[in-house]
Amino acid sequence: MSIQTDLVARSGNQCELCKSTAPLKEYEVAPARNSGAEGYVLICEVCENQIENQEAINPTHWRILSDSMWSETTAVQVLAWRMLNRLQAEPWARDLLEMLYLDEETKAWAAAGAVVFTEEKVIHKDSNGALLEAGDTVVLIQDLKVKGAGLTAKRGTAVRRISLVADNAEHIEGKIDGQQIVILTKYVKKSNK
């Protein structure tokens, strides 16, 4: 039997990650541990494109890992672990990663082939861990003395239409009393208004 035939039989002719029946292909989970189907998964083009291309990742698509990470197939578990690691900015992905148990040998396989992207996106989070985006409104959680401006920003002050400092996850910018200032993210919480 060929690897493709073994994979089709094992997967029921579905993507082993997202269960799609779209055109499927064998995908080697590098570094291959052994020859045969155990080192491969059967996946669709959507999953393959997102695994191979960081820019193409759609976090919503990968919520399917909540099912596929429990697969009895080790290669599927390895890919699930790798994708959850790449999606750690998503709270649901961190939760799934904490639940996923891999024995030491499987975890070493997963880590050995994990793709590391050098251009990590800077993620800004408030004091509660909520994701901040440009244009959000935040509220100060304590009084802050603004250096060089001679003013104290009071706790509870809303800062609207914030902008993110691109190279520092701990800094945002916003206007308080008409003055543009830099604020540490640990002193703000995201407002739902």
Side-chain angles (χ1 to χ4, degrees):
M1 290 178 91
S2 71
I3 291 175
Q4 180 79 18
T5 306
D6 290 346
L7 293 174
V8 168
R10 180 176 80 195
S11 69
N13 205 26
Q14 296 179 339
C15 175
E16 292 185 88
L17 295 174
C18 74
K19 305 297 183 210
S20 171
T21 57
L24 304 170
K25 66 184 283 187
E26 58 190 64
Y27 181 83
E28 183 178 17
V29 182
R33 289 193 332 174
N34 55 30
S35 59
E38 291 303 312
Y40 290 83
V41 294
L42 192 65
I43 62 173
C44 66
E45 291 176 359
V46 172
C47 287
E48 180 189 29
N49 183 41
Q50 293 188 42
I51 289 169
E52 296 293 328
N53 182 2
Q54 177 76 10
E55 300 303 315
I57 292 179
N58 174 0
T60 304
H61 174 77
W62 291 105
R63 287 183 175 265
I64 48 96
L65 293 175
S66 64
D67 290 330
S68 55
M69 70 185 224
W70 303 112
S71 172
E72 293 181 13
T73 305
T74 307
V76 175
Q77 296 172 3
V78 166
L79 278 181
W81 184 89
R82 289 177 184 173
M83 289 309 299
L84 290 171
N85 266 291
R86 287 169 59 185
L87 293 165
Q88 283 191 52
E90 303 291 329
W92 61 265
R94 281 194 309 275
D95 292 343
L96 290 179
L97 194 57
E98 287 178 16
M99 287 189 276
L100 179 60
Y101 170 78
L102 301 179
D103 61 51
E104 287 189 33
E105 183 181 346
T106 303
K107 193 165 188 176
W109 179 17
V115 178
V116 177
F117 291 93
T118 55
E119 290 186 33
E120 296 256 344
K121 184 177 179 183
V122 176
I123 298 170
H124 294 76
K125 294 184 179 181
D126 73 0
S127 60
N128 295 324
L131 188 64
L132 295 174
E133 296 178 4
D136 282 347
T137 297
V138 296
V139 176
L140 300 180
I141 60 171
Q142 71 179 51
D143 291 353
L144 300 176
K145 289 186 179 181
V146 181
K147 295 179 182 175
L151 71 97
T152 299
K154 297 293 184 190
R155 177 177 165 215
T157 300
V159 182
R160 291 174 176 71
R161 295 183 301 281
I162 63 166
S163 57
L164 308 176
V165 176
D167 61 347
N168 191 332
E170 296 178 1
H171 292 168
I172 59 171
E173 293 181 356
K175 283 189 177 184
I176 295 180
D177 291 339
Q179 297 234 6
Q180 185 77 9
I181 63 168
V182 174
I183 308 166
L184 296 177
T185 55
K186 66 183 179 181
Y187 297 128
V188 302
K189 69 177 182 177
K190 186 173 183 173
S191 175
N192 293 328
K193 296 178 183 178

